[in-house]
Amino acid sequence: MKNRPIGYRKALSRIAAAFMLVCFVLTALPMFAAAAEPEFKTFSELSGKTIAAITGSPFEDLIREHIPDVKEVQFYPSSPDMTLALLDGKIDAYFMNNAVGELIANKNEGIEVFPQSLGDSDFGIAFAKNSPERAKWQAAYETIPQDTRQALWKKWTGADDSIKTLPPQDWEGANGTIKAAVCDTLEPMSYVGKDGELIGFDEEMILLIAKQLDVKVEFTGMEFGAMMPEVQSGKALIAAGSIVVTDEREEVVDFLRYAPASYILLVRSAGGTGNSEGFFAGLSASFKRTFITDGRWKLLLSGLGVTLITAVCSGALGTLIGFGLVNLRRKNNIIGNKFIEGYGGLFAGLPVVVVLMVLYYVIFAAANIPAMIVAIIGFALIFGSRSYNVIQNALSAVDSGQREAALALGYTEGKAFREVVLPQAANVYLPLLRAQFIMLLKETSIAGYITVVDLTRAGDLIRSRTMEAFFPLVVVALLYFILTKVMSKLLGLIDKSRDKQRRERRIKGVD
Amino acid sequence: MSLIEIKGLTKEYADSTPLKDVDLTVNEGEVISIIGPSGTGKSTLMRCINRLETPTSGTIIVDGTDVTAAGADLSAVRKKMGMVFQQFNLFSHKMAIENIMMPQMSLLGKTPKEAYTEALEQLRRVGLESKARKYPDELSGGQKQRVAIARALAMHPKIMLFDEPTSALDPTMVSEVLSVIRELAGTGLTMLIVTHEMRLARDVSSRVLYIDNGGICEQGTPEQIFGHPKEELTRRFVFRIHSWEYTLSAENADVYEMMGQLDDFCMHRFMGEKTATNCRLAVEELTVSCLLPKLKKLGKGSAALRLNAGEDGGEIVLEADYPELMDGGDPFDNSDNVLSLMILGKVAERQKTDTKGTVRFVIRQK
């Protein structure tokens, strides 16, 4: 047999296979835990340990009050992230309310509820400070009988998932529609159900009140930390999703207290080493949980779609902006040049995520524009500045003699630019724009910060339900990998067709 | 009838003034070669004519249109003027034939088929029909320049401007381009050629302009310019005369330094060994036996020596100016140095001497 070097494709498939294997092994790791006692039972045992809480929660002082010499208090964006960190040993306990915490402990092998409570409070629905609506909602809430409230609590904290659906909004809605910002990763209070709709105790409680007020409710899911800004900026009337009332929070919003809450800690099980499921059984269970249960593949698929649409639209729009700026630069007037300088400087100096958040929470705060459109606008503005730089550099790489030769033949400046200079610059800027676009595609993963459910966010949502982090993360990683490869190939076709045209030496309109 | 009328053309840059108050009239059918040292505004003149450069002042009227006027239809004027650049400037993303077709379609509104026929015809004219579907980077320098000429000709211009068309070429490729230009010059097309190819200028031009120091220094027929230039600058340029100069004075009479510099000059001019020796002997005898003793005797004054050597084996002339040393008789009329004068007479031929203190020798080269 001839000793041939391994081809590009072969090498790629080997790398992919190795990647998958590593992922599967990692995925299976959390399965090696069994039900047992909690690892820590008293506050003093938690001395010198690392404890986590969800981003946007004001409980650091409370934690330090009970465990004075805690090593560090860390903040994570969602409960599945903390679950993962706990199982990995990155943290030793994490702070949660009783409703969510108990469910996590029940669903997750290897995680137990710490036996001592850190205090009591209430769950609350947040309104903007001094909102006149709060009193109306409070009054409507009072009319709901105690029995109904308790039945609701039982329904959502119970084990029977089949009855956990929301009633239809079948009332008139004579008093309009209100917006509710809800967290989408805190089962059972507020989370994403089958087919991606937002459900939970909080949602149903809100609907009960809304029915009394005869208003319809539009829920928008987001990370916990994003809810308060939504209410404060006026994008949403109310925020809910396992929010526990604290003094600190009451300083910035007003609450409608609708259920009692207590603070607990989640810790690892003590010394659990038994493997209850086995490697492949665990794998198939993970697969089922991530894809099949509740039709979650649909969520991933729609996330993939959102990522693709966001990237393609903002890429196309951004390229247009880039060309627009190039055109403006050619006019070479003082105002235009200053504008370009300011525009480029602004976006070169800001992190992408900050641009998105400023657009969403400040500039478009009042406007009723879907978050995805804001994301597309944000990414397009950033891509515009980048594509301008790429095209401008490519243009300056074209020999000035080309323009002069065209002018000398009688071309106008505009024609010389379009027909002679720009086509030659294309050889330089097309591959660069392609690389920039692939970068943009990956960067859209931060769109979740402004409530867009893209591929990354879809993975987060699934993790919040399956209470395991590895498998969904690996799937998301793989999907991004495939997406970027496919897009790169597709865009590469442009180069290929240009090459082919060049090779064929056909003359348009003659051959 | 004049096609181009230039009046008072001045072009200034921040650090130089390549053109100062230039007047020029170009008549229909003239072939004008523009020669002169590098960096003296020849190319600038061409680029001003089709307004690739904006003149600082002056007017340029091309075929009845003042191109220096604000709002002049430059595109229309430029269509009447083909320009050929030193660096060819073929559109690198298009094949040779497309380079010729493109402007016809874009600017003259021809259909692709019409443009193709015309382009092929022009390529045939410059002998490159077989390279029609080559990209510029697949052509040699000479071929590129011929395509560039064909591209300009396909627009059927009234005037052709050549801006050093062969300066960027390998010596082996110069002739193929020159023969195309020669052929063109015979067709009655009005042409302006900036060139360093003296033979081309001599052979094809109806008029030759010598440009130096920001202006037209001398102009005339090729016979006048190349045969009997009136101006010293023209003469030096045309005959490619190089000079070595040294000034001796009572204070500074470093003969060793002087002879060292002379040796360098002879070497750089590729003089034969015999010729160089004769130059050395002539200079040495002239200074050591005639000029230095007189300098010492007077204790003041100076004497200037100059050796002029043309290229291609022209005559080599040694001149000396010493008016300050005439005090008390010409230093040559001195019976003390008979031997020196004899040697001097062997290596050089004394041409003329006046009584004002100059002497001129033609160095013998055989």
Side-chain angles (χ1 to χ4, degrees), chain A residues 399-412 415 419-421 423-424 427 501-511, chain B residues 47 50 52 75 78-79 81 83 85 89-93 95 97-98 101-103 106-107 112-113 116 133-135 137-138 151 155:
Chain A
D399 178 37
S400 63
Q402 296 285 323
R403 174 182 149 266
E404 284 190 348
L407 290 184
L409 281 160
Y411 282 76
T412 57
K415 253 190 175 176
E419 294 181 24
V420 176
V421 179
Q424 294 186 50
N427 292 335
Q501 246 176 353
R502 198 179 153 91
R503 272 201 316 276
E504 279 180 346
R505 297 175 194 270
R506 283 162 59 110
I507 303 170
K508 234 173 152 184
V510 176
D511 294 334
Chain B
R47 293 167 60 84
N50 74 357
L52 284 179
S75 176
R78 283 166 177 163
K79 277 185 222 170
M81 277 186 289
M83 176 132 179
F85 295 86
N89 294 345
L90 289 184
F91 303 144
S92 63
H93 62 309
M95 291 181 278
I97 190 143
E98 288 175 309
M101 289 168 65
M102 248 174 73
S106 280
L107 304 170
K113 290 224 160 69
Y116 180 79
R133 288 178 196 238
K134 295 279 183 203
Y135 283 94
D137 57 15
E138 298 163 334
R151 179 173 69 177
M155 300 292 287

Side-chain angles (χ1 to χ4, degrees), chain A residues 236-258:
Chain A
L237 175 72
I238 55 175
S242 200
I243 308 175
V244 177
V245 178
T246 65
D247 292 346
E248 204 171 320
R249 282 176 177 155
E250 281 200 297
E251 280 174 22
V252 288
V253 290
D254 287 342
F255 282 109
L256 186 175
R257 294 163 188 254
Y258 61 92

Side-chain angles (χ1 to χ4, degrees), chain A residues 106-355:
Chain A
N106 286 339
K107 281 205 173 181
N108 242 50
E109 276 184 64
I111 292 194
E112 305 294 328
V113 175
F114 182 73
Q116 285 177 288
S117 161
L118 287 86
D120 297 310
S121 180
D122 289 303
F123 288 109
I125 297 171
F127 290 77
K129 205 77 189 151
N130 302 320
S131 166
E133 290 290 317
R134 200 200 70 85
K136 272 198 256 170
W137 282 64
Q138 182 78 47
Y141 168 75
E142 309 288 354
T143 64
I144 300 168
Q146 193 66 33
D147 290 353
T148 313
R149 297 181 208 164
Q150 267 168 11
L152 208 59
W153 181 263
K154 274 207 179 110
K155 168 182 167 183
W156 289 98
T157 54
D160 187 359
D161 275 353
S162 63
I163 57 163
K164 292 182 181 178
T165 53
L166 289 184
Q169 299 192 38
D170 52 4
W171 51 93
E172 185 106 7
N175 295 322
T177 303
I178 63 111
K179 295 201 172 201
V182 292
C183 181
D184 48 17
T185 56
L186 292 168
E187 193 180 356
M189 301 302 278
S190 177
Y191 61 105
V192 174
K194 226 180 195 169
D195 303 333
E197 84 282 17
L198 292 154
I199 56 171
F201 177 79
D202 292 355
E203 277 82 354
E204 189 159 359
M205 179 62 82
I206 288 168
L207 288 182
L208 277 180
I209 305 170
K211 190 174 182 180
Q212 301 290 320
L213 295 168
D214 201 13
V215 292
K216 298 228 176 191
V217 184
E218 192 184 315
F219 292 107
T220 311
M222 62 197 67
E223 277 171 12
F224 191 85
M227 291 191 297
M228 297 296 184
E230 288 274 324
V231 170
Q232 286 167 312
S233 68
K235 285 188 100 70
L237 175 72
I238 55 175
S242 200
I243 308 175
V244 177
V245 178
T246 65
D247 292 346
E248 204 171 320
R249 282 176 177 155
E250 281 200 297
E251 280 174 22
V252 288
V253 290
D254 287 342
F255 282 109
L256 186 175
R257 294 163 188 254
Y258 61 92
S262 66
Y263 307 129
I264 59 164
L265 288 174
L266 291 174
V267 293
R268 279 181 296 270
S269 311
T273 50
N275 180 1
S276 54
E277 277 178 305
F279 179 79
F280 286 104
L283 201 63
S284 97
S286 284
F287 182 84
K288 207 176 148 210
R289 272 199 292 272
T290 300
F291 286 111
I292 312 295
T293 313
D294 286 357
R296 282 171 192 150
W297 58 272
K298 286 186 222 158
L299 193 64
L300 280 174
L301 206 64
S302 95
L304 192 70
V306 167
T307 292
L308 192 64
I309 290 169
T310 307
V312 169
C313 289
S314 56
L317 211 61
T319 308
L320 281 181
I321 294 175
F323 275 106
L325 291 176
V326 165
N327 231 2
L328 186 62
R329 182 72 188 81
R330 286 189 54 239
K331 296 212 165 47
N332 200 21
N333 62 44
I334 299 169
I335 302 167
N337 290 353
K338 281 265 179 265
F339 173 77
I340 292 170
E341 203 180 302
Y343 182 92
L346 185 67
F347 289 108
L350 290 179
V352 181
V353 63
V354 174
V355 171

